[in-house]
Amino acid sequence: MIFPMIKFFVVLLADCIIEMELAPAEVVRECLSKTDDSNGIIFEDLLLKNEVLSAKDILRVKSIVTQIESYDVKKMEFAPELFALIPKDKAINYCCLPMRVK
């Protein structure tokens, strides 16, 4: 069973993937039908495991659906004081980094 709000978001992701023609609709729907968060079966994990989409494509779709910009930080340089703004364990857990200090 998928919780209602999570199911809504996952269906939006699936619809966006299909609409953008990133993967065949039947493959996306099959992954969606196998998704079950109560058993730890996550839609994005199925897409990755079955090589339907890359992690980069999934992030792009999530960015579109949530209307939250994503950044590739691999080549960015950060001022050391930024890392003091958020505890390391929280940054790792939530996959976040402060981008600037105001």
Side-chain angles (χ1 to χ4, degrees):
M1 176 192 153
I2 304 177
F3 295 108
M5 288 304 293
I6 295 172
K7 182 174 184 174
F8 178 75
F9 181 70
V10 170
V11 170
L12 284 176
L13 289 178
D15 289 346
C16 189
I17 291 166
I18 293 167
E19 186 177 314
M20 293 174 65
E21 298 180 351
L22 296 174
E26 58 276 0
V27 174
V28 174
R29 288 190 188 107
E30 181 180 343
C31 289
L32 188 58
S33 71
K34 292 180 180 178
T35 298
D36 184 354
D37 62 337
S38 66
N39 290 327
I41 301 171
I42 309 297
F43 179 62
E44 295 97 303
D45 292 343
L46 290 171
L47 295 172
L48 289 169
K49 181 181 174 185
N50 295 312
E51 298 180 354
V52 177
L53 289 179
S54 68
K56 188 174 182 178
D57 282 336
I58 292 171
L59 180 60
R60 184 167 53 119
V61 172
K62 282 183 169 184
S63 182
I64 291 167
V65 170
T66 61
Q67 297 181 357
I68 297 173
E69 233 179 305
S70 64
Y71 298 91
D72 185 356
V73 296
K74 291 177 188 166
K75 296 179 182 176
M76 294 175 76
E77 291 186 29
F78 295 91
E81 62 268 15
L82 289 177
F83 295 109
L85 296 174
I86 185 167
K88 184 178 180 179
D89 64 321
K90 301 291 186 219
I92 291 170
N93 186 50
Y94 296 106
C95 300
C96 65
L97 290 171
M99 299 302 288
R100 63 182 170 269
V101 178
K102 287 188 174 184

